[in-house]
Amino acid sequence: MCGIVGYIGKGQAYPVLINGLNRLEYRGYDSAGVAMIPEKGTLNIYKAAGKVKQLEDSVKNCNIEGHVGIAHTRWATHGAPNKENAHPHCSMSGRLALVHNGIIENYGVLKDKLTEKGYVFSSTTDTEVLVQLIDYIYGAGDMSLVAAVQLALKEVIGAYAIAVIDRDNPDMIVAARKSSPLVIGMAEDGLYLASDATPIVEYTNKVIYLDDEEVACLNMDGTYRIVDLDNADCCHEAQTVAVNIGQLQKGGFPHFMIKEIFDQPECLADCMRGRVLKDMNKIVVSAVIENRDVLLNARRFIIVACGTSWHAGLIGKQLIEDFCRIPVEVEYASEFRYRNPVINEGDVVMAVSQSGETADTLAAIEMAKEKGAFIYGVCNVVGSSIARAADAGSYIHVGPEIGVASTKAFTGQVTVLTMIAMALAKEMGRADDGFMAKVIDELLSLPEKIKEVLAFDEYIKDIARIFTYVHNFIYLGRGYAFPVALEGALKLKEISYIHAEGYPAAEMKHGPIALIDSNMPVVVIATKTHLYDKVVSNVQEIKSRGGRILAVVTKGDTVIKNMADFCIEIPETMECMEPVVASIPLQLLAYHVAANKGLDVDRPRNLAKSVTVE
Ligand code: F6R
């Protein structure tokens, strides 16, 4: 969480910083701030509680000059989300300004030490402790800012991505990372710094991803040096990022979320491009081919993930077990990392993560790696921490997802997991040509099938109007549709603030059915699968207790149609691919309910896109 931007060079820093904060706002948006040095000896810091827009409004009559600056958009961890706690934080001497993403776990001890030395704090953040510590070390001896940062970071326990500027030395930015991402962009007009590449790509596609415990010094003349905490040089090859600016804009839609929902046909086509090869009747997943022996000899797979990605993992489990007969466990990364899980050499731990930065997922794979597991990453953000920590992996390639609620990344994850399962099944001799051809046809038809469902947008909008002001929802599904029910409920609750629960349909009679009355909308995924008749009975049970039923059914269904209050028909597909098609109407429903309520759909309260704190 929290987004960092920095710029040093020939241009003005402020426009780059504000533009960058707008791009990074998905990471946190409870306060924002900028710091610029217009001339040696002057440090201007402006902050505002609330979103980046509030910051922009508040600096209208201020001096925003300067060729060097840093900025931050916050998702509060320590201290309330107010102006005092907003970053950048300034040292008591007024000399240093610092922005930080992460958590300083031993900030209490450090704060006591600094208080004894006479430091006074004006915020309740852990970050202010860090800037005071650097200031203390910097002032105590004849040393460079880089050296002071290195010494300070050696005292720090926790996670950080930081950027520091010095009022009296305006020709550099010092940045460092540990467990929180930081990217440097190199362009003709200067050097850029950000939590991910999205604020940088409109200026340059040449980037370097800092590694843990590295410190970078970015200079006004365009040169830079990257060292470790002991000042040994670190070598990095510049990488080329391929993000298209159009993907970072709303393209005429009112919110990123609805744009991303409508982008899914194209995104899934991108995700499958070069991998699903109809002419050759092949699914090529390079990481599966390259690591064939490890994967084929795995005794089991463990999928670790959080939130929506965990739901994709539940579908991945069914796919891998169905296609490959390899046992798969699915774990919440946050639980897994703190249990003492049995992990043996030869286990494959698969991390599913859109951002590739989720702290719990990252920690889970680091732990599994230490215990000898082979780590396979399924990420969207190229060059992200999880992607780099993994032994192998497959990107989902659905482009940047900006809306906080995951939509296209979810369907992309499920599509990639389907391709991985099928590629593995082929290697294991478990997929004959006929089955392969069927899966390929179904995969390639997903974009068109999603388009068919998107055509119901207006109808779903009407349904959403009816349900906008209810207080509770239940989502039901079985088999492959159970994780879809969980995902539908999560989408609704996170953006509309309506309480929603997902259940396996047959579990209703073990308790939750007591909740059913005429005020309870129940969304049922009741498509034509091998469990269809069972689901019909479950729907009957709800109906006879007065529940209002909104059913997602297979095109042409008549039985459920006669029982449900509202029906959304989706095209038929293989059972294992239904999660992709059936989740689309649920995304639209959640979106329209939240939009009807006038909520900030792309930036729901209390959330952030990239959860880099545990
Ligand atoms: C919900 C959502 C979150 C994320 C979760 C994991 O819409 O987006 O539940 O799925 O925070 O994030 P990643 O996938 O980046 O690891």
Side-chain angles (χ1 to χ4, degrees):
M1 347 286 252
C2 300
I4 289 178
V5 193
Y7 172 75
I8 185 162
K10 294 177 199 146
Q12 284 292 322
Y14 179 78
V16 175
L17 300 178
I18 284 294
N19 207 6
L21 288 186
N22 278 312
R23 295 247 188 271
L24 287 183
E25 214 176 19
Y26 72 86
R27 298 178 69 89
Y29 35 78
D30 56 43
S31 57
V34 285
M36 280 91 49
I37 305 176
E39 60 192 352
K40 187 171 175 177
T42 306
L43 178 61
N44 289 327
I45 300 183
Y46 307 112
K47 315 190 209 187
K51 307 209 161 103
V52 175
K53 177 80 179 64
Q54 267 87 55
L55 173 68
E56 282 182 83
D57 291 345
S58 72
V59 301
K60 279 205 171 113
N61 298 316
C62 302
N63 177 4
I64 51 168
E65 293 286 306
H67 295 274
V68 56
I70 54 176
H72 188 268
T73 178
R74 180 168 187 247
W75 185 86
T77 53
H78 284 74
N82 54 28
K83 188 171 172 182
E84 290 66 43
N85 289 333
H87 302 211
H89 285 283
C90 187
S91 60
M92 203 174 82
S93 66
R95 182 170 178 182
L96 302 181
L98 177 144
V99 289
H100 167 222
N101 168 28
I103 291 186
I104 309 300
E105 281 166 15
N106 59 337
Y107 82 102
V109 180
L110 296 172
K111 190 169 184 174
D112 290 347
K113 200 170 111 182
L114 290 159
T115 306
E116 268 174 35
K117 308 225 177 281
Y119 277 84
V120 177
F121 293 83
S122 54
S123 78
T124 50
T125 63
D126 52 340
T127 303
E128 194 186 2
V129 174
L130 184 55
V131 70
Q132 305 282 34
L133 178 64
I134 297 170
D135 181 271
Y136 169 65
I137 295 170
Y138 197 23
D142 182 17
M143 68 176 76
S144 67
L145 181 57
V146 170
V149 167
Q150 287 165 323
L151 286 174
L153 293 180
K154 283 185 177 175
E155 291 192 38
V156 160
I157 300 171
Y160 54 78
I162 57 165
V164 198
I165 52 175
D166 174 3
R167 178 191 67 189
D168 299 334
N169 189 355
D171 289 340
M172 66 177 178
I173 299 178
V174 176
R177 80 153 262 176
K178 184 181 178 194
S179 304
S180 295
L182 211 47
V183 186
I184 299 168
M186 290 86 69
E188 277 291 295
D189 68 339
L191 296 168
Y192 296 77
L193 186 71
S195 297
D196 66 38
T198 51
I200 296 179
V201 287
E202 57 198 278
Y203 309 105
T204 177
N205 62 359
K206 268 175 62 190
V207 298
I208 283 175
Y209 295 91
L210 280 192
D211 283 328
D212 275 353
E213 302 201 326
E214 287 185 344
V215 180
C217 182
L218 314 184
N219 301 312
M220 184 62 84
D221 62 6
T223 59
Y224 60 90
R225 185 176 173 219
I226 301 171
V227 290
D228 65 14
L229 294 186
D230 294 318
N231 214 33
D233 279 301
C234 304
C235 286
H236 282 274
E237 286 274 312
Q239 298 185 28
T240 306
V241 278
V243 175
N244 150 359
I245 292 297
Q247 293 172 324
L248 303 175
Q249 290 161 352
K250 288 189 200 146
F253 286 92
H255 296 102
F256 279 110
M257 183 180 174
I258 187 74
K259 172 183 183 275
E260 288 161 1
I261 291 174
F262 272 83
D263 277 351
Q264 287 174 107
E266 206 180 314
C267 293
L268 293 199
D270 289 345
C271 167
M272 291 186 278
R273 187 159 297 125
R275 290 166 163 171
V276 180
L277 309 175
K278 187 169 167 59
D279 293 353
M280 300 164 81
N281 199 31
K282 249 189 182 172
I283 293 180
V284 178
V285 179
S286 46
V288 170
I289 297 167
E290 283 155 19
N291 300 283
R292 184 183 181 278
D293 293 343
V294 183
L295 299 175
L296 261 52
N297 290 324
R299 284 179 39 251
R300 61 175 177 163
F301 279 34
I302 305 168
I303 298 180
V304 291
C306 302
T308 287
S309 299
W310 184 79
H311 298 155
L314 292 177
I315 297 163
K317 169 186 166 73
Q318 296 190 47
L319 287 161
I320 297 169
E321 290 188 343
D322 270 357
F323 292 2
C324 312
R325 309 309 298 154
I326 301 173
V328 184
E329 289 161 29
V330 187
E331 297 265 5
Y332 284 117
S334 54
E335 290 294 315
F336 181 78
R337 65 178 288 197
Y338 286 119
R339 279 198 291 107
N340 185 13
V342 179
I343 303 171
N344 299 309
E345 259 181 61
D347 283 341
V348 171
V349 171
M350 191 177 251
V352 182
S353 172
Q354 185 286 131
S355 62
E357 300 296 346
T358 300
D360 284 321
T361 311
L362 187 56
I365 60 170
E366 272 160 4
M367 187 251 268
K369 206 173 185 176
E370 264 171 37
K371 293 185 187 241
F374 180 84
I375 312 296
Y376 195 112
V378 175
C379 298
N380 188 34
V381 177
V382 175
S384 55
S385 301
I386 293 172
R388 290 185 301 133
D391 296 304
S394 306
Y395 284 115
I396 63 173
H397 290 312
V398 293
E401 189 177 65
I402 314 286
V404 161
S406 191
T407 52
K408 63 178 184 173
F410 173 71
T411 48
Q413 287 165 340
V414 175
T415 306
V416 165
L417 289 166
T418 311
M419 293 189 286
I420 293 172
M422 202 52 203
L424 263 177
K426 181 74 190 165
E427 295 296 331
M428 295 172 85
R430 288 190 168 274
D432 62 26
D433 287 350
F435 184 55
M436 179 61 85
K438 186 166 161 40
V439 170
I440 287 179
D441 282 344
E442 288 297 335
L443 277 169
L444 293 176
S445 70
L446 284 176
E448 279 311 311
K449 288 182 177 168
I450 293 175
K451 279 187 198 160
E452 264 189 63
V453 184
L454 290 171
F456 286 113
D457 185 43
E458 279 302 318
Y459 174 57
I460 296 171
K461 205 178 201 171
D462 289 343
I463 300 175
R465 268 190 213 110
I466 296 163
F467 291 115
T468 295
Y469 294 102
V470 301
H471 296 294
N472 298 288
F473 257 89
I474 288 182
Y475 285 68
L476 301 177
R478 297 185 76 156
Y480 278 100
F482 166 51
V484 178
L486 292 177
E487 176 58 9
L490 174 60
K491 279 304 77 106
L492 186 76
K493 64 187 142 192
E494 70 179 321
I495 58 168
S496 73
Y497 318 147
I498 293 175
H499 172 238
E501 298 288 343
Y503 275 101
E507 272 296 301
M508 285 299 284
K509 54 185 168 297
H510 299 290
I513 202 159
L515 293 167
I516 303 296
D517 62 17
S518 57
N519 295 319
M520 180 66 87
V522 182
V523 178
V524 192
I525 299 119
T527 46
K528 285 269 170 58
T529 66
H530 74 289
L531 290 166
Y532 179 72
D533 293 340
K534 311 261 173 221
V535 178
V536 170
S537 308
N538 301 140
V539 171
Q540 194 60 62
E541 289 156 13
I542 313 276
K543 186 78 193 157
S544 52
R545 282 154 184 90
R548 284 194 291 170
I549 296 165
L550 163 49
V552 176
V553 297
T554 307
K555 202 155 79 179
D557 181 285
T558 49
V559 179
I560 300 264
K561 241 181 165 172
N562 286 332
M563 293 157 75
D565 298 85
F566 305 94
C567 259
I568 302 165
E569 292 191 27
I570 63 169
E572 194 167 357
T573 180
M574 278 173 81
E575 201 166 322
C576 61
M577 280 178 226
E578 275 196 346
V580 170
V581 188
S583 56
I584 309 296
L586 308 190
Q587 295 171 350
L588 288 170
L589 179 70
Y591 171 76
H592 287 302
V593 169
N596 285 344
K597 289 176 97 169
L599 297 172
D600 192 346
V601 176
D602 287 333
R603 293 166 301 184
R605 70 185 180 201
N606 306 337
L607 290 177
K609 182 81 184 153
S610 186
V611 187
T612 56
V613 293
E614 62 169 288

